[in-house]
Amino acid sequence: YPRTDPVVIMLVESPDGRRALLGRNRKFTPGMYTCLSGFVDQCESVEEAVRREVFEESRVLVAGVAVVGSQPWPVGRYGGCELMLGCMAQARSYEVLVNTDEMEDVQWYDKDELRAAEASLEQLGFFIPPPLAIAHHLIRAW
Protein backbone atom coordinates (compact mmCIF):
# COMPACT_ATOMS: atom_id res chain seq x y z
CA TYR A 1 0.00 0.00 0.00
CA PRO A 2 1.19 3.56 -0.61
CA ARG A 3 2.42 5.38 2.47
CA THR A 4 0.12 8.01 3.98
CA ASP A 5 1.18 9.83 7.15
CA PRO A 6 -1.61 11.03 9.48
CA VAL A 7 -1.25 14.64 10.64
CA VAL A 8 -3.46 16.49 13.11
CA ILE A 9 -4.12 20.15 12.37
CA MET A 10 -6.11 22.08 14.93
CA LEU A 11 -7.74 25.38 15.61
CA VAL A 12 -7.28 25.88 19.36
CA GLU A 13 -9.85 28.18 20.96
CA SER A 14 -8.98 30.06 24.15
CA PRO A 15 -10.78 29.08 27.38
CA ASP A 16 -13.02 32.16 27.09
CA GLY A 17 -13.81 31.43 23.41
CA ARG A 18 -12.56 34.83 22.25
CA ARG A 19 -9.22 33.94 20.67
CA ALA A 20 -7.60 31.30 18.48
CA LEU A 21 -4.04 30.02 18.77
CA LEU A 22 -2.00 30.24 15.56
CA GLY A 23 1.68 29.80 14.89
CA ARG A 24 4.38 30.00 12.31
CA ASN A 25 7.33 27.82 11.48
CA ARG A 26 10.56 29.28 10.09
CA LYS A 27 9.95 27.36 6.85
CA PHE A 28 6.61 29.10 6.19
CA THR A 29 6.11 31.92 3.74
CA PRO A 30 7.05 35.15 5.60
CA GLY A 31 4.01 36.59 7.40
CA MET A 32 1.87 33.43 7.32
CA TYR A 33 0.30 32.19 10.56
CA THR A 34 -1.69 28.98 10.60
CA CYS A 35 -3.21 26.31 12.80
CA LEU A 36 -0.79 24.21 14.82
CA SER A 37 -0.17 20.73 13.43
CA GLY A 38 1.91 17.62 13.80
CA PHE A 39 2.23 13.95 13.00
CA VAL A 40 0.18 11.33 14.83
CA ASP A 41 2.49 8.89 16.62
CA GLN A 42 2.01 5.12 16.40
CA CYS A 43 -0.70 3.85 18.77
CA GLU A 44 -1.84 7.43 19.51
CA SER A 45 -5.40 8.66 19.10
CA VAL A 46 -6.21 11.83 17.19
CA GLU A 47 -7.25 13.52 20.44
CA GLU A 48 -4.00 12.52 22.17
CA ALA A 49 -1.97 13.80 19.21
CA VAL A 50 -3.76 17.17 19.32
CA ARG A 51 -3.08 17.59 23.03
CA ARG A 52 0.57 16.51 22.69
CA GLU A 53 1.35 18.68 19.66
CA VAL A 54 -0.28 21.81 21.10
CA PHE A 55 1.62 21.33 24.35
CA GLU A 56 4.93 20.61 22.57
CA GLU A 57 4.69 23.70 20.37
CA SER A 58 3.14 26.21 22.79
CA ARG A 59 2.85 24.71 26.30
CA VAL A 60 -0.89 25.42 26.13
CA LEU A 61 -3.04 22.70 27.73
CA VAL A 62 -6.02 21.35 25.76
CA ALA A 63 -9.28 19.94 27.12
CA GLY A 64 -11.87 18.95 24.50
CA VAL A 65 -11.01 17.92 20.94
CA ALA A 66 -13.41 17.33 18.04
CA VAL A 67 -12.47 15.97 14.62
CA VAL A 68 -14.30 18.09 12.04
CA GLY A 69 -12.85 17.12 8.68
CA SER A 70 -9.92 15.85 6.69
CA GLN A 71 -7.87 16.72 3.64
CA PRO A 72 -5.35 14.72 1.63
CA TRP A 73 -2.08 16.60 1.23
CA PRO A 74 -0.09 15.05 -1.64
CA VAL A 75 3.17 16.92 -1.03
CA GLY A 76 3.97 16.25 2.60
CA ARG A 77 6.93 17.50 4.60
CA TYR A 78 9.10 14.50 3.79
CA GLY A 79 7.97 13.77 0.25
CA GLY A 80 5.12 11.44 1.18
CA CYS A 81 1.38 11.92 1.20
CA GLU A 82 -0.23 13.20 4.38
CA LEU A 83 -3.80 12.91 5.56
CA MET A 84 -4.62 16.11 7.41
CA LEU A 85 -7.11 15.46 10.23
CA GLY A 86 -8.80 18.78 10.96
CA CYS A 87 -9.77 19.37 14.58
CA MET A 88 -11.25 22.02 16.84
CA ALA A 89 -9.79 22.09 20.34
CA GLN A 90 -10.60 23.96 23.53
CA ALA A 91 -7.64 25.30 25.51
CA ARG A 92 -7.48 24.93 29.29
CA SER A 93 -4.73 27.54 29.67
CA TYR A 94 -3.72 30.87 28.14
CA GLU A 95 0.01 31.26 28.72
CA VAL A 96 2.11 30.53 25.63
CA LEU A 97 5.71 29.39 25.85
CA VAL A 98 6.98 28.88 22.30
CA ASN A 99 9.11 25.83 21.64
CA THR A 100 11.68 27.50 19.37
CA ASP A 101 12.99 24.10 18.21
CA GLU A 102 9.67 23.62 16.41
CA MET A 103 8.07 27.06 15.98
CA GLU A 104 9.18 30.60 15.27
CA ASP A 105 6.15 32.14 16.96
CA VAL A 106 2.77 31.18 18.48
CA GLN A 107 0.13 33.79 19.37
CA TRP A 108 -3.51 34.23 20.28
CA TYR A 109 -5.63 36.13 17.71
CA ASP A 110 -9.20 37.37 18.02
CA LYS A 111 -11.85 36.93 15.31
CA ASP A 112 -11.56 40.50 14.02
CA GLU A 113 -7.80 40.10 13.53
CA LEU A 114 -8.30 36.84 11.63
CA ARG A 115 -11.00 38.32 9.39
CA ALA A 116 -8.66 41.22 8.58
CA ALA A 117 -5.74 38.84 7.96
CA GLU A 118 -7.86 36.88 5.50
CA ALA A 119 -8.77 40.07 3.64
CA SER A 120 -5.45 41.91 3.54
CA LEU A 121 -1.83 41.21 4.42
CA GLU A 122 -1.03 44.92 4.62
CA GLN A 123 -3.48 45.67 7.44
CA LEU A 124 -1.86 43.54 10.12
CA GLY A 125 1.40 42.34 8.64
CA PHE A 126 0.33 38.67 8.67
CA PHE A 127 -2.00 36.42 6.72
CA ILE A 128 -3.65 33.01 6.98
CA PRO A 129 -3.35 30.10 4.52
CA PRO A 130 -5.36 30.22 1.28
CA PRO A 131 -8.65 28.33 0.72
CA LEU A 132 -6.88 25.25 -0.68
CA ALA A 133 -5.67 24.41 2.86
CA ILE A 134 -7.82 22.86 5.58
CA ALA A 135 -6.32 25.38 8.04
CA HIS A 136 -8.10 28.17 6.15
CA HIS A 137 -11.44 26.40 6.62
CA LEU A 138 -10.84 25.66 10.30
CA ILE A 139 -10.11 29.35 10.90
CA ARG A 140 -13.15 30.49 8.91
CA ALA A 141 -15.45 28.01 10.64
CA TRP A 142 -14.34 29.38 14.00
Side-chain angles (χ1 to χ4, degrees):
Y1 297 101
R3 180 182 174 136
T4 300
D5 297 319
V7 174
V8 289
I9 183 163
M10 47 280 183
L11 187 292
V12 180
E13 183 179 63
S14 63
D16 65 5
R18 295 180 176 181
R19 293 174 282 169
L21 190 65
L22 300 183
R24 63 169 284 100
N25 185 298
R26 286 174 190 80
K27 298 174 188 172
F28 292 171
T29 302
M32 186 178 78
Y33 278 75
T34 188
C35 298
L36 302 184
S37 65
F39 290 102
V40 178
D41 285 340
Q42 291 181 343
C43 299
E44 184 177 50
S45 72
V46 170
E47 295 83 0
E48 290 168 332
V50 167
R51 289 184 183 99
R52 178 184 51 76
E53 284 292 339
V54 171
F55 187 76
E56 283 179 6
E57 294 177 355
S58 68
R59 291 297 185 247
V60 169
L61 298 172
V62 168
V65 175
V67 179
V68 296
S70 64
Q71 175 187 20
W73 198 250
V75 280
R77 288 171 239 196
Y78 302 108
C81 181
E82 296 173 0
L83 179 60
M84 308 297 287
L85 303 166
C87 301
M88 300 297 250
Q90 184 71 40
R92 291 183 7 212
S93 62
Y94 289 98
E95 187 177 349
V96 174
L97 180 60
V98 179
N99 177 349
T100 55
D101 290 338
E102 293 198 28
M103 303 297 288
E104 182 177 74
D105 190 28
V106 178
Q107 295 186 40
W108 293 105
Y109 290 97
D110 65 34
K111 290 182 181 187
D112 290 337
E113 289 174 308
L114 295 180
R115 280 188 206 101
E118 180 184 13
S120 171
L121 173 61
E122 292 78 33
Q123 277 188 324
L124 296 174
F126 77 97
F127 64 98
I128 63 172
L132 64 90
I134 193 170
H136 178 92
H137 299 283
L138 291 171
I139 293 167
R140 288 205 58 187
W142 179 70

